[in-house]
Amino acid sequence: MEEANNEIEILTQPIKKTDLIYQIEDKPPFGEALFVALQHLLAVFVAIITPPLIISSVVGLDTETTGFLVSMALLASGISTFVQCRRIGPVGCGLLCVQGTSFSFIGALKASFAGMGMASLPIIFGITIAGAPVEMIVSRLFKYTRKIITPLVSGIVVTMIGLCLIKEAIISCGGGYNSMGLDATLHPHLAFGSLHNLFLAVIVLCSTVFFNSFKNKYIRMSSIVIGLVIGYIAAWLMGRIDFSQISDLGAVTIPVPFKYGLEFSWPAFISVALIYFITSIEAYGDITANSMIGGEAIEGPKFLKRVQGGVLADGVNSMLAGVFNSFPNSIFAQNNGLIQLTGVASRHVGYYIAAFLVILSIFPFVGGIFSIMPAPVLGGTTLLMFGTVAASGIRIVASQNINRKAILVLAVSFACGLGVELAPDILRQTPGWFKGTFSSGITTGGVAAILANIIIRIKD
């Protein structure tokens, strides 16, 4: 979700010769492929497990269920990455594209299911599966959808996603939703906004920024993981982590399709379907950037086939994620930077990444370790990550011609989207289906951006 979405601008640029060590179809030796795959894993691991951790916190799930959802997110990501890299029939882009749990859907799911507990899971997985065909359909209609979803609209939506999620990160920094009802006099260290909570969040945030500023590329790529580990150790030293909560976890996690059942909700579906629509455009941009870095054509029949296959896989993989009790998936843009750093664009490396993710999903202690992590530790990490998402959206918007029409589209979109986030009670008197659909600032801002971009006509 960043500058890769500027597909129109990218298409006008000539293909440059690359300094790649291994091209897309090359097969690196086992040792080299393994080493590069580990670097990609470090870059995406935290991003994959963060959405299920946040959604579990917002919905109100227990430690065991949260750990299982984290394991399923890793499994879904492993399968999805393999499909994208391998290209099975028309499904997949055939590039080194890593796929994982999408941040874009968190706001909409939070607006619809906050505090519902286990009762929310059948509906969440039901609409995850039901909404996935949106991307499959869009993959066949790119010539038309690009006229509706312009880079300006994509930039606005990406910015809204980042801004709305920052609120969730701040709540985690303060101690999370579970800490809001605690009496500060009885629980001085655990209550929302306590110095203990803020201290942990600041340690993680500062550590991540510090290591990200290093010149050594490996330290930079590992900065989020390092920051998370430092925060985890600090929380343990402060007595904030109880390993007894995961002592009863089994030896392996067995995937159970449809474990929580399936249900449906129209208001939640509309919100999720819209975000699927936007995500397909983001995937288009990510695949364009990946092709360009790999020295492949970024126009013509071969490129169109890659894009259609990649976005189709986005939808198919999200449907599979719902089947295996996980959340919608999307292509991760950060791996494009790693391809440039390592000089390895071989899609065969993706098989190793996929294998690592599937192996990690098998062991329940992986999900368990993160499920008992204090909210402020996660908050310190996500605050920076979501701020980066918002900054990427701003960069996309800034790359466009900001004329009078663009100013009005921006004004309407941000006013509506942020307005709903800041004053959610504005929809209190509206019908239930309307409130359920537009209580998310991302959905409201996205719809406003699309409609304003279509309706507003100004001749400069």
Side-chain angles (χ1 to χ4, degrees):
M1 296 181 291
E2 50 189 344
E3 66 271 18
N5 292 300
N6 294 329
E7 62 270 12
I8 293 178
E9 183 180 359
I10 290 174
L11 286 174
T12 64
Q13 298 175 356
I15 300 295
K16 299 178 181 179
K17 292 183 178 180
T18 65
D19 295 322
L20 292 175
I21 302 170
Y22 294 106
Q23 306 290 329
I24 289 171
E25 297 297 337
D26 293 339
K27 295 183 179 180
F30 176 77
E32 294 181 32
L34 195 69
F35 183 64
V36 173
L38 283 170
Q39 293 179 61
H40 280 276
L41 186 68
L42 285 174
V44 299
F45 181 79
V46 176
I48 291 170
I49 67 170
T50 296
L53 289 174
I54 293 176
I55 293 169
S56 296
S57 175
V58 169
V59 169
L61 302 178
D62 58 35
T63 299
E64 182 180 353
T65 304
T66 301
F68 180 77
L69 294 183
V70 169
S71 291
M72 291 304 97
L74 292 169
L75 175 66
S77 180
I79 295 172
S80 301
T81 298
F82 177 79
V83 171
Q84 282 287 10
C85 299
R86 178 68 177 85
R87 187 175 176 89
I88 302 173
V91 184
C93 61
L95 299 169
L96 179 52
C97 277
V98 179
Q99 206 167 327
T101 322
S102 175
F103 287 107
S104 303
F105 296 82
I106 295 175
L109 295 179
K110 173 223 169 186
S112 299
F113 303 107
M116 285 183 58
M118 295 292 291
S120 66
L121 294 183
I123 308 176
I124 290 176
F125 300 135
I127 61 176
T128 294
I129 294 172
V134 171
E135 284 198 273
M136 302 179 199
I137 295 170
V138 172
S139 71
R140 308 294 105 181
L141 303 172
F142 264 117
K143 290 187 291 187
Y144 310 104
T145 55
R146 284 182 59 203
K147 297 178 181 179
I148 299 172
I149 307 294
T150 64
L152 176 65
V153 172
S154 297
I156 290 171
V157 173
V158 172
T159 304
M160 282 300 308
I161 289 170
L163 292 177
C164 292
L165 292 180
I166 285 174
K167 177 183 176 182
E168 297 306 313
I170 286 291
I171 290 174
S172 294
C173 289
Y177 289 94
N178 292 335
S179 70
M180 289 182 172
L182 297 178
D183 188 336
T185 57
L186 298 176
H187 306 278
H189 301 322
L190 301 178
F192 188 78
S194 71
L195 291 180
H196 267 222
N197 289 334
L198 298 181
F199 176 70
L200 281 175
V202 169
I203 281 181
V204 176
L205 178 62
C206 292
S207 298
T208 304
V209 173
F210 174 73
F211 287 105
N212 193 261
S213 65
F214 272 55
K215 291 184 178 180
N216 185 292
K217 62 183 179 183
Y218 302 113
I219 295 178
R220 265 203 330 271
M221 287 185 292
S222 308
S223 60
I224 292 177
V225 175
I226 295 172
L228 204 60
V229 169
I230 290 174
Y232 204 99
I233 293 173
W236 176 68
L237 293 174
M238 294 166 66
R240 295 288 298 271
I241 295 177
D242 181 10
F243 289 106
S244 65
Q245 296 183 54
I246 58 173
S247 58
D248 296 330
L249 294 177
V252 295
T253 298
I254 306 298
V256 181
F258 308 113
K259 179 176 181 178
Y260 303 101
L262 295 177
E263 294 180 20
F264 188 78
S265 165
W266 273 109
F269 169 77
I270 294 172
S271 298
V272 167
L274 174 66
I275 298 173
Y276 267 123
F277 186 65
I278 300 297
T279 302
S280 65
I281 308 300
E282 295 173 5
Y284 182 102
D286 292 334
I287 294 168
T288 302
N290 194 303
S291 297
M292 184 174 65
I293 293 167
E296 293 288 301
I298 53 173
E299 55 186 338
K302 184 178 180 180
F303 171 69
L304 181 61
K305 185 178 179 181
R306 282 197 190 280
V307 168
Q308 289 180 326
V311 177
L312 178 62
D314 239 30
V316 171
N317 289 334
S318 290
M319 183 174 286
L320 284 173
V323 169
F324 286 102
N325 315 288
S326 191
F327 308 104
N329 268 234
S330 63
I331 295 173
F332 281 180
Q334 55 262 53
N335 294 89
N336 292 336
L338 272 174
I339 293 173
Q340 287 181 309
L341 287 171
T342 61
V344 178
S346 170
R347 63 188 178 91
H348 297 279
V349 171
Y351 304 163
Y352 293 83
I353 302 170
F356 279 134
L357 291 169
V358 171
I359 291 170
L360 287 172
S361 74
I362 294 173
F363 301 104
F365 75 87
V366 175
I369 286 293
F370 288 98
S371 68
I372 62 174
M373 180 171 60
V377 177
L378 180 64
T381 302
T382 55
L383 188 62
L384 184 63
M385 293 170 67
F386 296 155
T388 302
V389 172
S392 298
I394 293 171
R395 189 170 183 176
I396 296 170
V397 172
S399 69
Q400 305 306 304
N401 178 27
I402 309 299
N403 52 26
R404 281 200 297 149
K405 175 183 175 177
I407 290 292
L408 288 175
V409 173
L410 285 163
V412 170
S413 306
F414 286 130
C416 293
L418 291 177
V420 169
E421 280 291 321
L422 296 173
D425 285 345
I426 191 68
L427 302 178
R428 179 185 294 177
Q429 304 302 324
T430 60
W433 66 268
F434 188 90
K435 180 179 178 181
T437 302
F438 293 101
S439 55
S440 165
I442 298 169
T443 305
T444 303
V447 170
I450 293 170
L451 293 178
N453 193 50
I454 293 173
I455 295 172
I456 296 175
R457 290 284 184 269
I458 296 177
K459 293 183 179 180
D460 288 319

